[in-house]
Amino acid sequence: VQLQVSGEVTEAKSIGQVAAEGDGWPRLLAEEEVAQILAMPGNQTCADCVHEADSVVPAWASVTFGVVLCPLAAGMHRGLGTDVSRVISLKLDKWKRQDYLHMLAAGNLHSNLELEEKIPAGVEKPVAREAGGAAKEELCAWIRAKYGSRSFTKDGNGEVAGHIARTSTTVATEEFCGLLVVRVKSAKEIVKLDITSESDPYVVAELGKQKFKTKRIKNTANPTWNESLFLNVKDAQTDVLRLSVWDDDSFSSDDFIGDCHIKIRDVVQQQLRDAAATSPSPVAFDDMLLQGGEPHPCVCVRWTSKGKVRGYLSVELTYNSLS
């Protein structure tokens, strides 16, 4: 098996290196590049659980370990923290060249030969059943033991927690029902809140107590981010995503430009209408009008921005159920 794996990995690396030549990274993967990753040994299924339905195609990757994952396992990897496992989407996120090549050099089978070398008797990989979903505590314990503690490696202790302590990681797996991918695409006609230049805008995504922000784009009214943010969803029927746009200031408090709100249930309903999709598809919210904004402390800026549109924001949202 090792010879076979080694041969296939060597072939995949040469293809990947050719595909990765030139500029343009980080970038979205092409369809054929995603197909190359999914064609790696063991990558037809999730690295961490067994699915009874063959139709469940992994859509996420831990680029730290070079494995592909189902949405449920991906959400639990995120609970480990990026210092343990860095998770990105195969189709929705921009990839670094070295991460793509690492995926072609690893794969589920190759990585699991090391990470699952010494599984103790009586411990089995969790089964994700379509009826009722996977046992979340069981899968959480497996992932924490496998990646966090390296319990199943050659030098591991083989231990799996008998029960899940109530930590921030387990709260995420027990209380949250889904994972929301917010792809912040661009904005236009952002109001000018600096005296000598255009605004330096960035976007903050808030869901419950979670808050993540994009990078800052300097001196532009029409920024493009193409950046993905990940938030856990507690209740897909009642949760509301807030997207706010801010002007970054170096020597004073950042200026609030405006915000907009999206109900998670609207995203879910739109995805359900797409009956032909085999996996959750992104839902576009383009040119959303930014509302609100705070009076600027500078009289000149207040005067020049008075009565003007605050700007328009465009995003794509993808909801992945963890059940």
Side-chain angles (χ1 to χ4, degrees), residues 167-189:
T167 63
S168 58
T169 299
T170 58
V171 167
T173 60
E174 289 178 2
E175 295 186 359
F176 290 95
C177 66
L179 177 67
L180 183 69
V181 182
V182 181
R183 180 169 171 254
V184 183
K185 297 192 295 184
S186 61
K188 65 181 184 181
E189 300 179 29

Side-chain angles (χ1 to χ4, degrees), residues 119-120 122-127 138 142:
I119 298 177
V123 176
E124 296 181 355
K125 184 173 290 189
V127 177
E138 181 184 353
W142 171 271

Side-chain angles (χ1 to χ4, degrees), residues 219-233:
N219 189 24
T220 179
N222 302 288
T224 297
W225 292 279
N226 282 328
E227 190 171 341
S228 294
L229 307 175
F230 301 84
L231 300 101
N232 288 312
V233 177

Side-chain angles (χ1 to χ4, degrees), residues 246-267:
W246 297 76
D247 172 36
D248 181 78
D249 286 330
S250 300
F251 303 105
S252 62
S253 299
D254 294 352
D255 300 316
F256 173 46
I257 295 175
D259 64 5
C260 51
H261 299 78
I262 302 173
K263 297 176 181 178
I264 306 303
R265 68 168 177 260
D266 292 341
V267 180

Side-chain angles (χ1 to χ4, degrees), residues 188-201:
K188 65 181 184 181
E189 300 179 29
I190 295 295
V191 66
K192 180 179 178 179
L193 295 183
D194 292 334
I195 298 176
T196 59
S197 64
E198 298 290 345
S199 294
D200 305 319

Side-chain angles (χ1 to χ4, degrees), residues 21-194:
E21 292 297 331
D23 298 329
W25 298 85
R27 62 172 173 80
L28 296 175
L29 295 182
E31 289 187 9
E32 56 269 24
E33 291 168 335
V34 174
Q36 286 177 351
I37 292 176
L38 293 177
M40 294 292 294
N43 282 15
Q44 294 71 44
T45 59
C46 176
D48 293 324
C49 59
V50 179
H51 284 266
E52 294 179 334
D54 295 334
S55 60
V56 179
V57 178
W60 301 84
S62 169
V63 295
T64 305
F65 296 97
V67 298
V68 294
L69 308 163
C70 69
L72 180 60
M76 294 185 180
H77 270 253
R78 291 187 66 244
L80 296 174
T82 55
D83 56 325
V84 177
S85 180
R86 185 161 58 89
V87 179
I88 58 177
S89 169
L90 289 175
K91 296 184 178 180
L92 301 176
D93 293 321
K94 286 188 174 182
W95 282 64
K96 296 179 181 178
R97 179 180 184 271
Q98 60 266 33
D99 290 338
Y100 170 62
L101 295 179
H102 177 53
M103 294 297 297
L104 296 180
N108 289 4
L109 180 59
H110 181 79
S111 297
N112 282 345
L113 286 174
E114 175 188 354
L115 294 170
E116 298 179 0
E117 181 175 350
K118 194 175 69 175
I119 298 177
V123 176
E124 296 181 355
K125 184 173 290 189
V127 177
R129 298 177 177 84
E130 284 195 285
K136 292 184 179 181
E137 288 193 0
E138 181 184 353
L139 181 56
C140 179
W142 171 271
I143 288 175
R144 291 177 66 194
K146 178 179 175 180
Y147 299 97
S149 304
R150 304 291 185 99
S151 294
F152 308 142
T153 60
K154 181 179 180 180
D155 298 323
N157 58 22
E159 293 182 357
V160 182
H163 71 283
I164 307 302
R166 203 159 191 76
T167 63
S168 58
T169 299
T170 58
V171 167
T173 60
E174 289 178 2
E175 295 186 359
F176 290 95
C177 66
L179 177 67
L180 183 69
V181 182
V182 181
R183 180 169 171 254
V184 183
K185 297 192 295 184
S186 61
K188 65 181 184 181
E189 300 179 29
I190 295 295
V191 66
K192 180 179 178 179
L193 295 183
D194 292 334

